[in-house]
Amino acid sequence: MQGYRKAAMILAALVLVMSGLFTAAPASAADEVSRGEFIQSLVEAMDLPLKDGSSIAFTDVDADLAPYVEAAFQLKLTSGKSEDKFAPDEMLTREQGFAIAARAVETEEVYPTSILSKFKDGRYLSMSLSENLAEATGIGLLLGYSDGTVKPSKGISAREMAAIIARTLREYTPVDSADVALRILGTSDLHTNFVNYDYYQDRVSNSLGLAKTAVLIEQARAENPNNLLFDNGDLIQGTPFGSYKVVVDPLQPGEIHPAVAALSALDFDATTLGNHEFNFGLEYLDEVIDDSPFPFLNANVYDEATGENRFEPYTIIDKEVTDGQGETHTIQVGVIGIVAPQILKWDRAKLEGHVTAEDAVQTVEKFLPEVEAAGADVVVVLSHSGMGDENHEVGEENITYQLTELEGVDAVITGHNHDLFPGSYGDLAGVDTEQGTINGTPVVMPGKFGSHLGVIDLKLSQEGDEWEVVSQQAQLRKIDSETDEVDQTVIDAVKEAHEATIEYVNSPVGETTAPITSYFSLVKDDPSIQLVTNAQLWYAEQQLAGTENADLPLLSAGAPFKAGGRNGADYYTEINTGEIAIKNVADLYVYDNTMYVLRVTGASLKDWLEMAAGQFNQIDSAATGEQNLINPDFRTYNFDVIDGVTYEIDVTEPAKYNADGELVNADANRIKNLMYDGEAVTDEQEFLVVTNNHRATGNFPGVVDALEAIDFAYENRQAVQDYMVAEGTVNPTADGNWTFAKVDGTPELVFETSGRAKPFMPENGTIEWLSDLESGFAKYGLVIE
């Protein structure tokens, strides 16, 4: 009988330990307990009720041990080695034993994994068990040996096990039979990063990819079988992988999009539409959705002709769960999806006349009664909208904060900002970072590209026929970027498209005579922008030849799309001298934008540049000490550089517009000496400016006053590729058409960019490395000449 070989010894040791008469010593090989023995002893000590063991699928557990394994499995203390193998006779290691014991103890405090560094051999602890082991250490279960080690891979003797169980019982609180622990898991902003692979650098990257996140998903599911898994949108666009399925191998009717295949491989329960789902148009999006086995939800986008919801606004999931005493129940979980209504501006050319978009907060308020009437016991909102703040204006982009104030919303998965919560936004009212709640509602914002998994744990109690959330906690789990561990099911699901994408991005298109980087694109005219603006000019000149606008001065606008910031210290362009492949073009122009030409006046052109100059903080030329030059609230893709004119930016002046494009200093004048062909630009003078659909159809100052908009319906990225093919060899040297205006005094200006930027500092000494930062960024100094 598997569970009783050492039962008498264990019981005797437990009595001694509880009496304070015994101190555990390291196990000998002959005395090591097995997985089955440990589970039986712990379940007996916890006095858990036993059933017949028939609900478990493990074929290697006999009838005597099965009830104990069943009880432990239902309480999420342990999981099998596989779906049908438990390995009851396998030796239990110390780290496994303490992890199991920690799961039996419920604590509201979250202990950082850094607590494990106190052990001399803490680096050998398994990453997958680190959170459990941190808790075990924090509550006093895991003490370690007198020599400062924990010996994670050593076996556990009967006496050591008794000591572990005794400590566990001191912290253990029996679970109420009416309680159900429901776990909600979430990803967001995957942007076609399914494989742990950087298509721009053409190499494995263990800092991204759903295949990495899936390892965490498996672990989180093993801890609590009562779980649901959701994605929060921006799924089908973002890397050459997504572009490949649009441009090279377009999705066909009846074909399952590889993004859908990846999520299906992990049994996702639902996703919502992100703003980038609309980049390729409604027809393409419909084709993606048509063959999906899980719902794509959105409640605030409506068919303009009929006034009806364009997509499925919500779903009700009948979730079978097991309570703390092993009884099964069915809980109905309502899921509502929303997106930022700014899609109508960002993709106006594809959406105008077809759909409308309503305020996301008002939409959720509208559907909550309907979802509750449909039987929902729990309501989850998938919010592809950023966090926002305490103030709400109808129709605004970022409103997740307001969702937490709505009665009836039990949990929120958010994203769009590519940020982390719990983590950021601690300065907002009602935020409890430790619990992961905002105004008492659990919220997760799990980063970007699969970097984190959001985990929301709800405890539900039944009152008659109703279920009530009685406690909640949210946390993020970061993928292990130090190892190559992945979930092969995801890799296999997208294998064909992944391999085809790699072949596609390695196709050569030209050569460069110098490196092309974006490391310093926020502080000086930059080759990564210059190459794009040159290509846009080249393409537009051909298209405009012979038209009524052909004689107008033609300018070209570009921005640093990959410039670190919220996307991290690795998010920069770096292309070496020599061959340029399609992957490099995608690295230069990461968005699936299409080309527009705007006819604007000189006054509008200056206002456009004034908005772009909001990238910089105002500098006090008389101040001493460091002054940060870069405004972190300003998105780098809004720092438009307009080639074809020359100008200076005076950072001692206040910004005219804030990061949202709102007028804050009407008399501000940062743009100095704006000139075309050596002559000052006049307010009435007219220009054509090549840009993209995102800029042309938004609310950007200067742009909104355009006299005419010409839609080329051609991808900017494809124009860059065509230009390189036509030129063969390009010289990406920036022409220096913009500079900072001279500053009186010698202010100490600093900024951050990647630590990898050091070899590319200009030789004239205007940029100086100061120090490396833990984040991978480095601090640099700037001298304005």
Side-chain angles (χ1 to χ4, degrees), residues 374-686:
D377 300 301
V378 175
V379 176
V380 180
V381 178
L382 305 181
S383 169
H384 199 88
S385 166
M387 186 63 73
D389 54 28
E390 296 92 336
N391 302 311
H392 176 232
E393 295 182 6
V394 173
E396 70 175 305
E397 177 182 350
N398 300 313
I399 51 77
T400 292
Y401 185 90
Q402 278 66 46
L403 297 180
T404 69
E405 298 178 309
L406 298 181
E407 185 71 27
V409 173
D410 296 301
V412 180
I413 299 174
T414 187
H416 187 54
N417 291 149
H418 291 199
D419 209 340
L420 302 176
F421 186 85
S424 300
Y425 311 105
D427 57 339
L428 293 175
V431 168
D432 185 335
T433 301
E434 290 297 319
Q435 286 296 110
T437 60
I438 303 176
N439 299 312
T441 303
V443 178
V444 289
M445 181 184 286
K448 63 187 183 302
F449 311 158
S451 64
H452 293 74
L453 175 69
V455 180
I456 297 175
D457 286 309
L458 304 178
K459 181 188 285 188
L460 309 176
S461 287
Q462 191 172 27
E463 300 290 339
D465 293 331
E466 304 292 326
W467 288 92
E468 180 183 356
V469 177
V470 295
S471 70
Q472 55 277 312
Q473 187 174 39
Q475 61 174 295
L476 296 181
R477 298 185 179 183
K478 186 178 181 180
I479 63 174
D480 182 0
S481 60
E482 301 300 319
T483 72
D484 293 325
E485 185 179 10
V486 295
D487 188 310
Q488 192 61 38
T489 58
V490 178
I491 304 292
D492 292 342
V494 300
K495 185 175 185 292
E496 181 179 345
H498 168 64
E499 292 177 349
T501 300
I502 292 175
E503 181 178 356
Y504 162 64
V505 300
N506 278 283
S507 304
V509 294
E511 291 189 355
T512 174
T513 60
I516 305 171
T517 74
S518 62
Y519 292 127
F520 300 113
S521 57
L522 299 182
V523 296
K524 69 181 189 68
D525 200 17
D526 183 80
S528 68
I529 300 173
Q530 188 74 55
L531 185 56
V532 170
T533 57
N534 287 352
Q536 291 176 166
L537 281 172
W538 171 83
Y539 180 84
E541 285 171 349
Q542 300 174 64
Q543 301 303 310
L544 293 169
T547 70
E548 59 182 349
N549 291 317
D551 294 331
L552 286 176
L554 183 61
L555 315 177
S556 183
F561 293 144
K562 295 188 70 176
R566 62 178 181 162
N567 290 316
D570 292 332
Y571 199 69
Y572 291 89
T573 294
E574 182 182 329
I575 303 170
N576 295 324
T577 302
E579 183 179 270
I580 297 180
I582 289 175
K583 64 184 177 185
N584 305 128
V585 178
D587 198 26
L588 283 166
Y589 208 106
V590 299
Y591 297 113
D592 298 287
N593 292 335
T594 56
M595 294 183 66
Y596 267 71
V597 169
L598 301 179
R599 182 164 62 90
V600 300
T601 65
S604 295
L605 177 66
K606 185 174 185 297
D607 233 21
W608 187 339
L609 290 170
E610 288 286 355
M611 172 62 196
Q615 180 68 75
F616 308 106
N617 293 321
Q618 185 177 9
I619 297 302
D620 182 351
S621 60
T624 59
E626 293 182 350
Q627 298 184 65
N628 287 305
L629 178 63
I630 306 300
N631 176 4
D633 296 326
F634 196 93
R635 298 297 185 221
T636 65
Y637 52 68
N638 285 332
F639 178 50
D640 280 1
V641 172
I642 300 184
D643 273 306
V645 289
T646 59
Y647 54 96
E648 297 174 345
I649 300 175
D650 185 352
V651 291
T652 64
E653 290 257 5
K656 185 173 184 178
Y657 299 96
N658 67 13
D660 295 322
E662 298 167 344
L663 182 66
V664 289
N665 293 292
D667 296 329
N669 181 30
R670 282 190 162 183
I671 302 302
K672 310 288 189 182
N673 299 318
L674 177 60
M675 307 184 78
Y676 173 75
D677 200 20
E679 300 289 335
V681 171
T682 65
D683 286 350
E684 298 77 20
Q685 195 171 358
E686 291 189 7

Side-chain angles (χ1 to χ4, degrees), residues 236-426:
I236 65 172
Q237 177 277 347
T239 72
F241 183 106
S243 303
Y244 175 82
K245 287 305 298 177
V246 177
V247 178
V248 182
D249 182 25
L251 191 67
Q252 299 300 312
E255 179 186 359
I256 295 177
H257 193 285
V260 173
L263 268 59
S264 298
L266 297 176
D267 295 321
F268 271 74
D269 293 287
T271 186
T272 192
L273 298 178
N275 55 291
H276 284 288
E277 260 67 73
F278 295 90
N279 288 170
F280 306 126
L282 292 170
E283 183 177 353
Y284 186 87
L285 180 55
D286 287 340
E287 191 58 51
V288 172
I289 295 173
D290 279 350
D291 301 298
S292 173
F294 52 83
F296 277 72
L297 304 175
N298 176 271
N300 68 318
V301 176
Y302 292 83
D303 186 286
E304 186 166 311
T306 66
E308 301 294 324
N309 279 97
R310 181 61 170 75
F311 305 96
E312 185 176 353
Y314 67 86
T315 189
I316 304 290
I317 299 173
D318 292 330
K319 180 64 178 177
E320 186 175 284
V321 296
T322 305
D323 66 24
Q325 298 299 323
E327 298 295 330
T328 58
H329 310 269
T330 298
I331 291 178
Q332 293 187 302
V333 180
V335 190
I336 306 172
I338 56 95
V339 70
Q342 281 68 23
I343 58 169
L344 295 183
K345 299 172 183 176
W346 299 328
D347 281 301
R348 188 175 76 183
K350 294 181 174 65
L351 302 181
E352 191 171 44
H354 302 289
V355 295
T356 60
E358 301 299 323
D359 179 79
V361 180
Q362 294 176 351
T363 296
V364 174
E365 286 182 301
K366 169 188 172 181
F367 278 100
L368 273 172
E370 185 175 330
V371 171
E372 291 167 355
D377 300 301
V378 175
V379 176
V380 180
V381 178
L382 305 181
S383 169
H384 199 88
S385 166
M387 186 63 73
D389 54 28
E390 296 92 336
N391 302 311
H392 176 232
E393 295 182 6
V394 173
E396 70 175 305
E397 177 182 350
N398 300 313
I399 51 77
T400 292
Y401 185 90
Q402 278 66 46
L403 297 180
T404 69
E405 298 178 309
L406 298 181
E407 185 71 27
V409 173
D410 296 301
V412 180
I413 299 174
T414 187
H416 187 54
N417 291 149
H418 291 199
D419 209 340
L420 302 176
F421 186 85
S424 300
Y425 311 105

Side-chain angles (χ1 to χ4, degrees), residues 46-57:
M46 293 170 65
D47 196 26
L48 296 178
L50 302 179
K51 293 187 176 183
D52 61 6
S54 60
S55 70
I56 59 174

